[in-house]
């Protein structure tokens, strides 16, 4: 008896998630943030400072990378898709509160975490990192242009800048850890598309 041929596997249906402009904004912002974090580590960790040397050059790279950090987002505003996604990130609905409660309870069931194109965790992260970047930019400018502000302001700015930098490092580590645990999300940022099955499971309220 001739063995029965196996049915072909269904095709991996892909859905569009991010435009090329959006992916470029993310890559540029991530690269600049990485430069800021690495140069900050060299400036504040004595062992790294001794290993790298050339402190003045590291300071300049840190300053200019920090100054350029908002530019990818500002340039991205020319993209309609990017502006649309910013509006999605800036809107919280009842389903986002459900998602956050499930996250606090460590309930990982997909049905317990309803989400649109972006889940509540991504919205909180985006809002926090945007605010932190603006604070770092403002305090950094006070530290850079010392003649523009009183000594008390510069002292306070240094304190805020240093501790917020440490907090950003911790939050970024968590963000990278989450990304490493979700290959399909990374693929979406790399290629612009994700699998239909992943979209239904992770973002059931999203209508591509």
């Amino acid at each position: 008896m001739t063995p029965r041929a196996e049915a072909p596997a269904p095709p991996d249906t892909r859905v569009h998630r991010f435009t090329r402009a959006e992916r470029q904004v993310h890559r540029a912002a991530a690269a600049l943030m990485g430069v800021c974090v690495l140069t900050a580590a060299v400036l504040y960790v004595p062992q790294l400072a001794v290993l790298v040397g050339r402190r003045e050059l590291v300071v300049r790279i840190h300053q200019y990378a920090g100054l350029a950090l908002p530019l990818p987002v500002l340039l991205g505003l020319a993209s309609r898709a990017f502006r649309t996604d910013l509006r999605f990130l800036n809107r919280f609905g009842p389903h986002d509160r459900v998602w956050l409660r499930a996250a606090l309870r460590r309930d990982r069931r997909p049905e317990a975490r309803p989400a649109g194109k972006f889940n509540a965790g991504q919205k909180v992260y985006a809002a926090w990192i945007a605010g932190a970047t603006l604070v770092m930019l403002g305090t950094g400018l006070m530290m850079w242009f010392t003649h523009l502000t009183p000594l008390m302001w510069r002292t306070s700015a240094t304190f805020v800048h240093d501790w917020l930098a440490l907090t950003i490092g911790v939050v970024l580590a968590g963000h990278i850890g989450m990304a490493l645990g979700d290959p399909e999300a990374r693929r979406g940022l790399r290629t612009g598309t994700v699998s239909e099955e992943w979209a239904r499971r992770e973002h059931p309220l999203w209508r591509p």
Side-chain angles (χ1 to χ4, degrees):
M1 186 181 224
T2 305
R4 204 172 189 184
E6 292 186 4
D12 180 21
T13 306
R14 311 294 296 174
V15 295
H16 180 75
R17 184 161 174 81
F18 296 117
T19 64
R20 182 177 180 181
E22 291 175 293
R23 302 197 306 275
Q24 293 294 343
V25 168
H26 185 270
R27 289 168 186 164
L32 288 169
M33 181 65 79
V35 171
C36 288
V37 170
L38 291 175
T39 51
V42 171
L43 292 172
Y44 286 99
V45 178
Q47 293 84 352
L48 292 177
V50 172
L51 181 65
V52 175
R54 306 196 66 179
R55 181 179 178 84
E56 186 62 29
L57 175 61
V58 175
V59 168
R60 289 296 176 220
I61 294 173
H62 182 78
Q63 289 171 333
Y64 288 118
L67 198 61
L69 193 53
L71 291 181
V73 174
L74 295 176
L75 293 174
L77 293 175
S79 164
R80 178 181 297 178
F82 183 71
R83 295 195 305 271
T84 300
D85 277 355
L86 284 183
R87 286 195 291 271
F88 287 147
L89 281 168
N90 199 38
R91 289 177 182 169
F92 275 77
H95 62 279
D96 292 311
R97 289 190 286 273
V98 173
W99 194 99
L100 288 172
R101 283 196 295 268
L104 290 173
R105 296 194 306 267
R106 299 183 181 277
D107 186 348
R108 300 184 180 277
R109 294 174 302 148
E111 61 271 20
R113 297 192 178 193
K117 184 171 186 179
F118 302 102
N119 63 44
Q122 292 167 329
K123 293 178 181 180
V124 170
Y125 171 79
W128 188 89
I129 201 69
T133 298
L134 292 177
V135 172
M136 292 295 283
L137 180 61
T139 53
L141 289 173
M142 288 187 205
M143 296 161 61
W144 189 356
F145 300 102
T146 56
H147 62 286
L148 296 180
T149 54
L151 176 61
M152 182 178 293
W153 288 23
R154 297 198 304 273
T155 303
S156 300
T158 302
F159 178 83
V160 171
H161 197 88
D162 291 353
W163 282 102
L164 186 54
L166 179 61
T167 307
I168 288 174
V170 173
V171 172
L172 282 177
H175 178 66
I176 293 170
M178 295 290 290
L180 291 175
D182 194 340
E184 192 62 26
R186 295 201 313 274
R187 188 175 178 185
L189 278 171
R190 189 174 67 254
T191 67
T193 64
V194 293
S195 71
E196 189 176 34
E197 188 276 331
W198 179 89
R200 284 198 306 266
R201 184 183 71 248
E202 299 292 336
H203 300 270
L205 304 181
W206 175 38
R207 300 294 177 264

